[in-house]
Amino acid sequence: MLRRIRSEQLQVGMFVARLGGPWINHPFWRARFLIANEEQVRQILSAGVQEVWIDILKGRNLAAPDTPGTPDTAEIPDPVPASALTPDPMDPATAPQLAATLDAEIVRARELLQSGKAVIGSMFADIRMGRALEVNGALLLVDSASRSLSRHGQALLALARLKARGDDNYLHAFAVCALMIAVGRTLGLPDDEVRELGLAGLLHDIGKLTLPAAPAHKASERTPEEEEIYRRHPSAGYRLLNEARLYSNIPLDVCVHHHERVDGRGFPYGLAGSELSVHAKIGAICDAYDSLTSSRPGHQPWSPARAMEYMAVRVDTLFDRRVFKAFTRTVGIYPLGTVLRLRSNRLAVVCAQNEADPLRPKVMAFYSVSQSRPTPTELIDLRHSDETVVAFENAADWGYTDEQLMEMYATVA
Ligand SMILES: [Fe+2]
Ligand SMILES: [Fe+2]
């Protein structure tokens, strides 16, 4: 049984179940512990923690009656409000970043992806082994991803979409993390919420690690039994995060609700529209986009433009309209790396968005369909050209990999 008290009411012998306030910033944020001495009380007070949840079954209760208006006992604590996360002005994560060119940032984003793999890989391995979840490394990764997106808004998103086989869990988590940070920024959410969104992206599917491999990773044609098991992963993830004492609203919310849909036909609870938070709606859209554009067993990756089109026609049934609009502003109606067929019957790859006119991005023409051969590349700004888009294409159908296309467009944007 938990009871919320003010920090100054803490006494030796009380069992701290959770600390309120800026959970990431204070030194005890993952801890549940018995207050053994006055020094611990002083540390909590000097860390700026305003309120504390004590477990009155495991430790001493507050003897005196509480002051009027003070929250009373509650069986389940409310998650820490997102606003409790305060950015540190000295933190490089929140310090201003200098803009970088796309090709320069792709190089750095590649290194980030590589180093993040070890961090997240060991976090996932711990979960599989039943060890405690440790998210400090994940938070550092979120901050690095944020800095990358500050230097260039597209490099990390373009790179994270290119998936290598065998790294599915990690790369999906990382891609959703990057997308959620980027969409949170487009929506103008405060930095502390955006940071939690990033963490939510990394952790959203963590419940899958507790499932048998087949239902967790099959993209299609799950048997009814496998589907039933698969649908447990949001709640399993929520439980894992709670067990890890990650009392943070946004990761918990996104973890449990990222498969909910605005028409109420999602799972696990069938929540609809206003019952879902903006964070859960961001999670749903970023997760769906990355899943559709990824290669998984039984599912060929869709081109980013095809995924955008698929999602656009499901706005108001599967996806929230306002968040999807922000999503399209973030990645583009034709995301970077999309292959388009132009009126001149040439293929061109999208190199840069035109924010004012998202249907007419900057493209690099590289292949003649009528002559069935590559052509000298030509950079075209579709806003100032007679060329128009007649269709979007799948790069693989023309023998090009996403990596090859990236080499082509990265240097010109
Ligand atoms: Fe999921
Ligand atoms: Fe996912």
Side-chain angles (χ1 to χ4, degrees):
M1 179 73 81
L2 300 184
R3 180 173 191 177
R4 186 161 58 173
I5 63 169
R6 295 191 305 279
S7 298
E8 57 269 27
Q9 295 174 305
L10 264 178
Q11 296 165 19
V12 174
M14 287 180 171
F15 186 90
V16 174
R18 208 186 94 203
L19 298 165
W23 59 274
I24 280 173
N25 292 341
H26 61 63
F28 317 96
W29 67 273
R30 290 187 63 246
R32 289 161 69 92
F33 55 93
L34 189 71
I35 299 281
N37 51 51
E38 291 292 342
E39 177 55 24
Q40 283 179 306
V41 176
R42 271 195 295 278
Q43 282 180 322
I44 290 171
L45 289 171
S46 63
V49 177
Q50 306 276 319
E51 55 186 10
V52 174
W53 279 257
I54 55 168
D55 190 330
I56 57 176
L57 298 179
K58 292 185 177 167
R60 190 169 162 182
N61 195 358
L62 189 66
D66 219 336
T67 51
T70 303
D72 207 347
T73 51
E75 286 186 6
I76 302 170
D78 296 331
V80 177
S83 56
L85 264 174
T86 48
D88 176 355
M90 300 302 288
D91 183 349
T94 51
Q97 296 292 311
L98 296 173
T101 58
L102 179 60
D103 59 337
E105 193 51 40
I106 282 175
V107 172
R108 295 170 82 165
R110 234 183 252 284
E111 287 166 11
L112 173 61
L113 224 69
Q114 202 54 38
S115 57
K117 200 158 130 180
V119 174
I120 303 301
S122 76
M123 185 172 86
F124 287 176
D126 282 349
I127 296 295
R128 286 204 189 88
M129 302 287 287
R131 287 198 285 261
L133 175 63
E134 172 55 70
V135 297
N136 287 335
L139 278 171
L140 291 176
L141 194 57
V142 168
D143 291 340
S144 301
S146 254
R147 288 196 292 275
S148 172
L149 289 162
S150 296
R151 290 187 296 262
H152 194 291
Q154 296 287 327
L156 188 60
L157 301 184
L159 195 67
R161 195 170 50 76
L162 312 188
K163 307 286 193 297
R165 282 184 188 281
D167 294 321
D168 294 354
N169 274 335
Y170 160 65
L171 285 172
H172 174 62
F174 194 87
V176 176
C177 162
L179 286 165
M180 289 185 74
I181 293 171
V183 175
R185 287 182 175 189
T186 303
L187 283 165
L189 299 182
D191 288 346
D192 51 359
E193 276 188 48
V194 171
R195 193 181 192 214
E196 282 205 66
L197 277 176
L199 189 58
L202 283 180
L203 299 174
H204 77 281
D205 269 339
I206 202 148
K208 280 190 183 175
L209 301 177
T210 66
L211 306 186
H217 301 301
K218 252 189 183 175
S220 56
E221 294 171 22
R222 291 186 193 99
T223 64
E225 295 74 29
E226 284 172 338
E227 182 64 22
E228 198 261 315
I229 293 170
Y230 172 78
R231 287 179 172 228
R232 291 180 199 158
H233 81 266
S235 305
Y238 184 84
R239 271 196 304 279
L240 266 177
L241 298 186
N242 261 300
E243 282 163 17
R245 298 179 286 280
L246 186 76
Y247 296 122
S248 169
N249 255 355
I250 297 174
L252 286 168
D253 180 15
V254 172
C255 190
V256 76
H257 294 312
H258 67 276
H259 287 287
E260 302 285 4
R261 297 295 180 247
V262 294
D263 63 0
R265 294 194 198 180
F267 64 91
Y269 298 113
L271 302 185
S274 60
E275 294 173 302
L276 294 164
S277 69
V278 68
H279 311 117
K281 290 167 177 170
I282 296 171
I285 287 174
C286 297
D287 178 49
Y289 175 76
D290 190 66
S291 300
L292 292 170
T293 56
S294 297
S295 133
R296 289 167 298 154
H299 173 87
Q300 286 299 309
W302 284 7
S303 75
R306 183 178 173 198
M308 292 302 286
E309 184 187 58
Y310 172 90
M311 292 170 72
V313 298
R314 285 160 181 81
V315 161
D316 291 337
T317 51
L318 302 190
F319 305 112
D320 180 80
R321 179 172 294 274
R322 185 173 76 95
V323 176
F324 186 72
K325 206 169 163 194
F327 187 77
T328 56
R329 282 219 312 280
T330 308
V331 303
I333 289 172
Y334 298 127
L336 224 60
T338 299
V339 177
L340 300 172
R341 189 190 288 230
L342 304 178
R343 194 172 59 173
S344 61
N345 219 11
R346 286 184 294 173
L347 301 182
V349 61
V350 175
C351 312
Q353 307 296 331
N354 282 325
E355 206 161 307
D357 192 349
L359 285 168
R360 284 186 277 193
K362 269 189 203 156
V363 299
M364 169 83 88
F366 64 93
Y367 190 91
S368 164
V369 174
S370 34
Q371 296 168 24
S372 301
R373 63 176 173 82
T375 59
T377 54
E378 181 191 351
L379 186 62
I380 305 167
D381 186 338
L382 291 178
R383 275 181 312 177
H384 310 297
S385 162
D386 292 339
E387 281 286 20
T388 51
V389 178
V390 294
F392 54 77
E393 299 278 346
N394 195 357
D397 294 346
W398 298 93
Y400 285 86
T401 65
D402 287 326
E403 284 279 354
Q404 286 172 317
L405 293 173
M406 183 176 268
E407 273 169 32
M408 231 185 277
Y409 68 74
T411 51
V412 296

